C-alpha cells in the first residue's frame, strides 16, 4: 500500500503520539495511515462479533484487520470464512496478529496458510521457536 505522507504529517501535528504509532506501524508492518475512517469499540468480543461479521460481509474494496489474540474456534472460524470468500471475490484482505499466538494458539507458519487463501497476513513481533536442552 502506498504511504500517504500528507495524512501522516497532519496526524503528527494534531496528535503527535498517534503519529508516532502510525509511523511505527507503517515502517514495521507496511500498513500506512488513512483518513476518513470510522471505528466502533466493543469492550467484549462477543458483543461485537455479529456486527463485525455483518460489516465484513458488506466489504467491497478492502478489509484491514488487526488482532492480538487469534485462536481457532467459533469466532475466528466464522471470521475466516468471510475473509476467504471476500479474498476470492477480489476484495483486498489484510490481517495482522500478535506473534505470541504462535507459542500455543496458532502454528508458526499460519501467515503462509492465510496467504494461500489470498489473505495478506503479517505476524506482529513473531516469536521464533527455539530448541534448548
Amino acid at each position: 500500500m502506498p504511504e500517504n505522507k500528507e495524512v501522516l504529517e497532519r496526524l503528527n501535528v494534531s496528535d503527535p503520539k498517534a503519529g508516532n504509532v502510525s509511523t511505527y506501524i507503517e515502517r514495521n508492518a507496511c500498513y500506512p495511515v488513512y483518513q476518513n475512517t470510522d471505528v466502533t469499540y466493543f469492550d467484549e468480543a462477543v458483543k461485537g462479533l455479529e456486527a463485525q461479521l455483518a460489516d465484513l460481509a458488506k466489504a467491497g474494496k478492502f478489509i484491514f484487520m488487526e488482532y492480538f489474540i487469534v485462536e481457532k474456534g467459533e469466532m475466528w472460524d466464522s471470521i475466516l470464512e468471510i475473509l476467504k470468500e471476500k479474498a476470492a471475490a477480489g476484495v483486498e484482505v489484510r490481517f495482522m496478529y500478535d506473534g505470541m499466538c504462535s507459542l500455543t494458539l496458532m502454528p508458526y507458519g499460519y501467515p503462509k496458510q492465510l496467504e494461500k487463501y489470498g489473505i495478506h497476513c503479517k505476524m506482529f513481533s513473531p516469536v521464533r521457536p527455539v530448541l534448548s536442552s
Side-chain angles (χ1 to χ4, degrees), residues 65-108:
M65 298 179 74
E66 176 189 358
Y67 272 85
F68 288 99
I69 299 171
V70 180
E71 182 176 15
K72 292 181 182 181
E74 182 179 339
M75 182 177 170
W76 174 243
D77 292 347
S78 59
I79 291 170
L80 180 59
E81 283 307 310
I82 294 173
L83 297 181
K84 292 189 317 190
E85 290 171 12
K86 290 296 178 174
V91 173
E92 180 182 2
V93 179
R94 292 179 178 252
F95 182 73
M96 181 169 66
Y97 70 99
D98 191 328
M100 289 297 289
C101 293
S102 67
L103 290 177
T104 59
L105 302 176
M106 301 300 271
Y108 185 77

Side-chain angles (χ1 to χ4, degrees), residues 13-80:
V13 169
S14 66
D15 189 341
K17 287 182 182 180
N20 286 340
V21 171
S22 295
T23 298
Y24 177 82
I25 291 171
E26 194 284 324
R27 195 177 296 144
N28 292 289
C30 301
Y31 289 94
V33 66
Y34 289 88
Q35 64 183 3
N36 301 323
T37 60
D38 190 28
V39 174
T40 302
Y41 174 76
F42 296 95
D43 61 350
E44 294 180 33
V46 70
K47 291 180 183 178
L49 180 59
E50 291 303 319
Q52 184 179 23
L53 294 174
D55 284 347
L56 289 171
K58 291 183 216 174
K61 293 184 180 181
F62 59 85
I63 297 171
F64 295 171
M65 298 179 74
E66 176 189 358
Y67 272 85
F68 288 99
I69 299 171
V70 180
E71 182 176 15
K72 292 181 182 181
E74 182 179 339
M75 182 177 170
W76 174 243
D77 292 347
S78 59
I79 291 170
L80 180 59

